[in-house]
Amino acid sequence: MFLSTSFAILVVFSFIVYRYFKYSSSIIERDATKPRRLPTQWLIGIIWTAGLGAFHESIAKLKVKYGDLFAIQLGRGRITVISCTDYVRHILADRNTYDISETTNQKGSSKDGDTLRQAFNDVIKCANRFALMASIPLWIARLRLALDSKFQRALCILRQYVMHIIHAEQKRQCEQQQQRVAKPKTLIASMVAAAENDRLETDSSKASLSPTELFDEVSLSMVAGFETTSTALSWFFFFMSKYPDVQAKIKEELYRHGLTSDAILTLEDLDELVYMECVMKEILRYAPITAGIVRQATRDDVINDIIVKKGDIFLIATQNMHRDPRYWKIDPMKFLPERFLDEDKHPTPYAYMPFGGGHRACIGQDLALFEFKIAITRLMQRITIEDAGNEANNSGGFIQRITCFPKHVAVRVYMDSDAKLPA
């Protein structure tokens, strides 16, 4: 009797809470001539955060049902999902109204190779859990990180290394300034110089970084390349095992430019590998590597006829646009690197954004593409990747964390010899 009564009370309470959130977040202006508040799919948010499928799969299904613009309620937070280039252009072009969301900033209280590597791994694992805590208030998620001893220990190690890099660069720039030597054009040098300008100058119109922002930016430039590049390489192995004709064309291009296994790569050689670059672009388009782009409204706005409130979070579903037939001339559901040679060489603006867009686009995208191209070129100079067939599970699938990587990859790797290259 007690259990049945408790269960009934729980059901009634859950229904009341559901109706409250549904009503409070779904008020629509009935006058069609006036802007309206986008209705919130509150229950969908609960289902989504339950971990049913990978992120891009869930968002693609919701897009089919609710269209290019829909809102979901995650706990007390509201996220608007966007899958249309017109809306994306509005958000990314207005840097004064839409900026990076605070839900993407993991603030903590802020030996050698192995120690740093382990610290990176621990930070990534904890960041994965943080990213999946979107259904609870942000302060609780941050409290969870603050009480996580492994994360705090890893963050401490990371802070030591990053601050050592920053202090060494500050010292070097100070010495160069005294000797009047030309400043090097490196990412870290530019960020440190910006922080120094903030400390020495009072002109608020100049771009500058606070010490906290400097630490965050240097750390992010290290951590971001740690996971995304390895994820892209994982997808490369999987796709090469499934598309041997693509792999054969890569090797043919390498042979045509004389890039055998013992050849030394130069920048000129890499620039000549046009088909290789198409393969890279297609992997970044077809594979759901990153979760999407997050922006937060810093003030009220109106998108088309939709009211935007200050603090609203927008999730730009890049994978939806990467596979939207409205924006691609060749079937976007097919893995075809050749699309970037002709018909889809110049995609619709904002339809292809593997590195984000706007003023918050990935600052390391050129470096990431450069190292990705070197890595797969060196691999294709020396090895052949084949599907393991029925002997192993090479079915792909998805594991969703900060990045989305293949779940089942089992391939055979053979070392090439010059005799096997095409005549």
Side-chain angles (χ1 to χ4, degrees):
M1 181 65 181
F2 175 76
L3 291 177
S4 59
T5 303
S6 301
F7 179 76
I9 293 174
L10 180 61
V11 170
V12 173
F13 176 76
S14 301
F15 178 76
I16 293 174
V17 171
Y18 166 73
R19 293 300 301 175
Y20 168 76
F21 278 106
K22 184 74 174 178
Y23 176 77
S24 63
S25 58
S26 304
I27 300 176
I28 307 176
E29 295 288 345
R30 296 303 177 187
D31 188 345
T33 63
K34 295 181 178 180
R36 61 188 176 86
R37 183 71 166 153
L38 194 68
T40 303
Q41 309 304 326
W42 188 73
L43 186 59
I44 295 297
I46 297 178
I47 296 175
W48 181 40
T49 54
L52 301 178
F55 169 82
H56 73 285
E57 292 178 304
S58 302
I59 291 300
K61 292 176 183 177
L62 295 178
K63 174 183 177 292
V64 172
K65 185 173 183 180
Y66 297 108
D68 291 330
L69 192 68
F70 61 88
I72 55 178
Q73 193 78 21
L74 299 180
R76 296 184 62 187
R78 170 188 168 99
I79 294 181
T80 302
V81 181
I82 299 175
S83 305
C84 174
T85 56
D86 291 339
Y87 298 140
V88 173
R89 181 184 294 107
H90 179 98
I91 289 177
L92 296 185
D94 190 351
R95 61 184 299 174
N96 294 318
T97 302
Y98 301 93
D99 208 341
I100 193 166
S101 168
E102 63 178 2
T103 59
T104 63
N105 297 329
Q106 290 122 241
K107 304 288 185 182
S109 62
S110 289
K111 262 135 179 171
D112 296 287
D114 291 339
T115 303
L116 182 58
R117 189 181 305 112
Q118 185 59 49
F120 267 127
N121 283 322
D122 290 341
V123 168
I124 289 295
K125 289 177 182 177
C126 294
N128 286 334
R129 292 197 295 270
F130 183 91
L132 296 175
M133 288 191 286
S135 59
I136 63 177
L138 184 60
W139 69 270
I140 296 181
R142 286 179 173 172
L143 180 62
R144 169 70 179 81
L145 286 182
L147 298 177
D148 190 323
S149 59
K150 180 180 287 188
F151 173 76
Q152 293 301 326
R153 183 166 56 251
L155 190 64
C156 182
I157 295 173
L158 184 61
R159 180 178 291 275
Q160 290 176 0
Y161 278 88
V162 171
M163 294 310 298
H164 175 74
I165 293 173
I166 292 173
H167 291 153
E169 179 60 29
Q170 288 173 331
K171 180 180 179 181
R172 190 181 59 76
Q173 287 190 15
C174 182
E175 293 173 351
Q176 286 183 336
Q177 203 171 36
Q178 294 174 352
Q179 299 172 6
R180 296 184 179 180
V181 179
K183 297 180 180 180
K185 296 181 179 180
T186 65
L187 174 61
I188 293 179
S190 299
M191 290 190 291
V192 170
E196 289 296 298
N197 290 338
D198 182 51
R199 185 173 62 85
L200 299 175
E201 300 180 9
T202 58
D203 187 357
S204 59
S205 64
K206 294 186 177 181
S208 58
L209 292 174
S210 68
T212 301
E213 290 174 330
L214 176 61
F215 171 75
D216 289 343
E217 292 296 333
V218 175
S219 301
L220 183 62
S221 66
M222 298 171 67
V223 175
F226 176 77
E227 176 118 334
T228 51
T229 303
S230 61
T231 302
L233 285 171
S234 298
W235 283 114
F236 173 77
F237 271 86
F238 177 73
F239 289 133
M240 292 306 99
S241 72
K242 295 298 183 182
Y243 299 94
D245 57 323
V246 172
Q247 186 174 192
K249 291 178 181 179
I250 292 176
K251 290 184 174 296
E252 182 182 350
E253 183 178 53
L254 291 174
Y255 179 74
R256 192 166 63 248
H257 291 90
L259 297 178
T260 55
S261 59
D262 57 347
I264 297 175
L265 283 178
T266 65
L267 289 175
E268 291 74 19
D269 292 329
L270 289 173
D271 289 339
E272 293 292 328
L273 301 178
V274 177
Y275 186 74
M276 180 79 78
E277 191 165 318
C278 291
V279 173
M280 294 165 48
K281 289 180 179 179
E282 184 68 346
I283 289 174
L284 295 175
R285 182 198 70 84
Y286 194 78
I289 295 175
T290 57
I293 305 171
V294 181
R295 293 291 184 269
Q296 188 166 21
T298 59
R299 58 190 180 189
D300 294 348
D301 191 23
V302 175
I303 299 180
N304 208 359
D305 64 338
I306 303 299
I307 295 175
V308 175
K309 296 292 186 181
K310 179 181 178 180
D312 282 358
I313 297 174
F314 291 83
L315 187 62
I316 300 173
T318 53
Q319 197 62 22
N320 280 354
M321 292 179 291
H322 284 185
R323 297 192 180 190
D324 194 323
R326 293 176 296 178
Y327 309 129
W328 302 90
K329 296 180 176 65
I330 300 177
D331 187 355
M333 301 307 293
K334 294 181 179 179
F335 182 85
L336 290 171
E338 288 80 5
R339 75 173 68 249
F340 288 103
L341 290 174
D342 191 9
E343 289 92 336
D344 289 321
K345 186 175 183 179
H346 302 291
T348 302
Y350 300 103
Y352 179 69
M353 296 190 298
F355 294 98
H359 73 293
R360 291 291 188 177
C362 176
I363 196 172
Q365 58 182 292
D366 290 337
L367 175 60
L369 290 171
F370 182 64
E371 65 181 8
F372 189 32
K373 195 170 189 179
I374 290 177
I376 63 179
T377 299
R378 279 303 192 194
L379 287 169
M380 291 291 95
Q381 282 182 296
R382 292 169 169 79
I383 67 172
T384 295
I385 302 168
E386 291 185 3
D387 195 335
N390 296 329
E391 299 177 18
N393 186 356
N394 190 37
S395 60
F398 309 103
I399 296 179
Q400 182 67 66
R401 292 180 183 163
I402 286 183
T403 59
C404 185
F405 51 92
K407 186 175 184 179
H408 300 292
V409 178
V411 301
R412 286 197 183 93
V413 176
Y414 296 98
M415 298 301 297
D416 289 339
S417 64
D418 292 345
K420 284 186 177 181
L421 292 173

